[in-house]
Amino acid sequence: MSFASLRFGALGLNILGICLLAYALSGPRPPGRRWVNLGPVESESPLRIGHQVQLLVDNEVLCDFQHVRRVMGPVRKHPQNPVLQADQPWERNATVMGGLQPATAMYDDSDGLYKLWYTILQPQTFGGSGVAYATSRDGVHWSKPNLGLIEFAGEKGTNLCRLEPFGALVRGLRLVQDPRPRPSERRYLGIGVWPKHEDGTWFGGWLGVARSSDGTTWRHMGGGVREGSGGGFPACLWDESLQRYVLFHRQLTEIALPEQRKRYIVRQDSVDLQSWSPRRTVFNPLNPVWPEVESMNVFRHEGVFFGLANTLETRERGEMEIHLVISRDGYRWEEPFPDRAFIPRGPQGDFDDMLVYWAQPILRGDRMHFYYGGARYSHGYPHEPVVDDGTSLALLPHQKGRYDPRPNRIGLATLLRDRFAGLRADEPVGAFLTRPLLVEGDMLYVNAAVDRELRVEIVNPVGEVFDAGPKDDWAGHYISAREEVFPGFSRADCEAVTGDGLNLPVRWKAGSIGKFKGRDVRLRFLGRMATVYAFVIK
């Protein structure tokens, strides 16, 4: 044996002796306990939700659910649909060649008006299309004000918008969703605006940027980005967390089979609406029935990105309808109801029985308003296109140019606030449990439709790990865990929530959830014949 081996062997014995001495001096240990850690255990860090409404459109705030199913909120079409259609002299050719499409919409608190910009599809007069402006006090009955900006047949008494410095009709316009205060000359920001070439023709296929102080006279700002394959409708909004604009529109040329046209959604970012990041694919559904996304309007509500995807069926009838897609970051999107339309096509004979598309959302009071385009003709030219001769539907053999469609018109659909989707519990009972939440409010409110009853209990997010002792079917001790429902806040202590309301209060015998302000809790919802769409602590 070498000297080095003897030296390190002696060193090892010394270290072992020191360890044994330290163990002996540490005092007696309960047999079997040194290998496990018993006591309270936290499962995960709490979510800081503040006073923000928690929408149950996905599982972001949930950790478990049993005997519940996700259901779509009921979207209602207005009985007076269509609420806007071609009825002015400068819109007359649109009754044959295309009609009116919603371009963008908003509610303006400063003057108490619903405002709708719409596109007149009129190739014979405008060489393609033009943007007009309408206002309403109630969101149903619309007026087309005399702006005096664009001449038609020798008269300037039209509601057509003007684009400077070209002194021409605005073509292509979508409002940029940016709630930040801005100088008056940039009160409205628009994207998708076509600029003009020096020879007087348009730069088609370019998403230009424009600004306006009144929403009717616009000034081109330069910059922009190439629009997606075949055009479509872009959607642009300011992301406060990223401090940049995000743009959603169609892909450029990237298609798996170049000989077959395909549409899906990409994203680009910008800090100034002038220079844009490279395109990134964000939504391309693998849906055999609705395989393409013609366009997708995007808005953000209560921390969630919502996409109103114009999904297109391309194999048989060329139908289009709006599907709901959601995202938490604007990159990863999911479709909670891939086989069901959020805004469906109407029954045969209605103005929207073939195409429903490009819904413009406005939240006003307790309702979300969606102004959408509807038509009775096929999108594209499938083998047996469904066309409309103005009185009835008929199937014609494939022959391009045989369309005589009823024009595109604008309809209204509404949804009760925050009821995009909910969790439905049937009999005998269904339940879901939230992730740990930091309580920063005084009262818990639920947005729910309850036929029987709904109860909530408050659970300690810190579980208890303990030694359950020997078990008959287990050779030795078994380590188990248990939860604690806070005394006075169990399901038995909760006053039953009943009825249908957007802000139903939840109370317990021991008081309100405000007793836990500054602490972490889990909420367990238990329902019978009840649908919960959202909850908030405020």
Side-chain angles (χ1 to χ4, degrees), residues 453-458 485-496 507-510 524 526:
E453 65 173 354
L454 173 70
R455 297 177 186 268
V456 184
E457 57 185 13
I458 303 180
V485 177
F486 288 112
F489 292 90
S490 69
R491 69 188 75 178
D493 298 316
C494 180
E495 298 178 10
R507 300 182 179 90
W508 294 264
K509 292 179 181 178
R524 176 179 286 117
L526 304 106

Side-chain angles (χ1 to χ4, degrees), residues 415-428:
L415 176 73
L416 285 175
R417 177 168 51 85
D418 299 337
R419 292 195 172 184
F420 297 95
L423 293 179
R424 174 70 179 180
D426 296 314
E427 295 284 12

Side-chain angles (χ1 to χ4, degrees), residues 245-375:
Y245 294 98
V246 292
L247 172 69
F248 300 91
H249 61 133
R250 290 218 298 250
Q251 93 288 354
L252 192 58
T253 58
E254 305 80 11
I255 304 174
L257 291 175
E259 63 273 16
Q260 295 185 13
R261 190 175 186 178
K262 176 74 184 292
R263 306 166 180 87
Y264 57 88
I265 303 301
V266 298
R267 167 179 169 156
Q268 293 180 264
D269 295 7
S270 174
V271 296
D272 57 5
L273 296 174
Q274 304 292 301
S275 301
W276 294 86
S277 66
R279 295 165 184 258
R280 174 173 170 178
T281 300
V282 292
F283 184 59
N284 190 356
L286 193 63
N287 188 325
V289 179
W290 304 96
E292 298 192 33
V293 185
E294 198 277 345
S295 300
M296 186 169 79
N297 199 5
V298 177
F299 62 98
R300 199 170 190 181
H301 178 64
E302 299 294 357
V304 180
F305 287 93
F306 287 90
L308 303 176
N310 305 331
T311 55
L312 180 62
E313 181 275 313
T314 57
R315 296 182 179 180
E316 295 183 8
R317 291 165 56 88
E319 298 167 334
M320 186 158 58
E321 60 187 24
I322 296 174
H323 284 212
L324 180 70
V325 294
I326 58 173
S327 173
R328 291 286 173 169
D329 59 8
Y331 289 102
R332 293 175 291 272
W333 292 82
E334 60 180 284
E335 190 175 358
F337 309 101
D339 301 322
R340 184 180 173 190
F342 182 66
I343 304 180
R345 291 170 291 110
Q348 183 169 324
D350 280 9
F351 82 103
D352 56 356
D353 61 4
M354 283 297 293
L355 303 180
V356 170
Y357 60 92
W358 198 239
Q360 302 298 307
I362 295 178
L363 177 60
R364 178 66 179 157
D366 288 340
R367 291 187 182 274
M368 181 77 78
H369 298 68
F370 299 97
Y371 295 95
Y372 68 94

